[in-house]
């Protein structure tokens, strides 16, 4: 009817073509994996599927929040609160470096997240 969607995520085509609201990146990824199984996003092998889910949850629970926290302290910390800014940048900066090291080591040994050599 042309009315704009307001107040949340826009509805998407769900089962039977009925609108279905989707929010949060991991939920959207899992929905798309189920909707398009022929695209190769979600492995059929149980071990590879488990690894894929672990990396998805790693991103949602670690990489995303920690880089967000680092960015907040780096960009938005009040200029008059240098101690708090420095603490946040050091704390979350070190954690982001650790997480990126975990990611680099995985990619160096595996190439990608689908079990394809790099």
């Amino acid at each position: 009817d042309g009315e704009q969607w307001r107040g949340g995520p826009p509805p998407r085509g769900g089962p039977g073509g009925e609108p279905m609201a989707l929010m949060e990146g991991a939920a959207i990824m899992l929905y798309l994996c189920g909707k398009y199984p022929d695209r190769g996003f979600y492995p059929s092998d149980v071990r590879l599927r488990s690894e894929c889910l672990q990396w998805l949850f790693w991103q949602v629970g670690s990489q995303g929040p920690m880089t967000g926290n680092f960015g907040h302290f780096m960009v938005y910390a009040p200029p008059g609160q240098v101690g708090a800014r420095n603490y946040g940048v050091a704390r979350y900066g070190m954690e982001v470096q650790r997480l990126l090291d975990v990611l680099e080591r995985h990619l160096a040994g595996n190439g990608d997240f689908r079990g394809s050599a790099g």
Side-chain angles (χ1 to χ4, degrees):
D1 63 344
E3 184 178 330
Q4 278 196 315
W5 177 260
R6 296 170 199 233
R12 303 280 185 236
E18 293 293 316
M20 183 173 88
L22 288 170
M23 57 177 266
E24 206 288 309
I28 293 169
M29 289 297 297
L30 290 173
Y31 168 79
L32 292 173
C33 287
K35 186 171 180 170
Y36 302 104
D38 57 330
R39 303 283 173 95
F41 297 129
Y42 200 48
S44 58
D45 178 79
V46 174
R47 288 182 188 274
L48 292 176
R49 182 180 294 183
S50 175
E51 186 170 343
C52 180
L53 286 174
Q54 290 174 57
W55 281 105
L56 178 61
F57 297 149
W58 172 86
Q59 191 284 321
V60 170
S62 296
Q63 186 266 335
M66 292 300 115
T67 54
N69 289 334
F70 172 72
H72 168 78
F73 279 97
M74 188 71 176
V75 177
Y76 297 110
Q81 297 183 7
V82 175
R85 179 191 180 278
N86 290 346
Y87 169 79
V89 168
R91 162 68 179 94
Y92 294 111
M94 286 188 295
E95 182 61 9
V96 167
Q97 287 178 349
R98 186 190 73 76
L99 291 168
L100 291 176
D101 184 55
V102 168
L103 178 61
E104 282 288 329
R105 282 184 284 139
H106 174 79
L107 293 175
N110 296 292
D112 65 19
F113 298 101
R114 297 176 302 152
S116 302

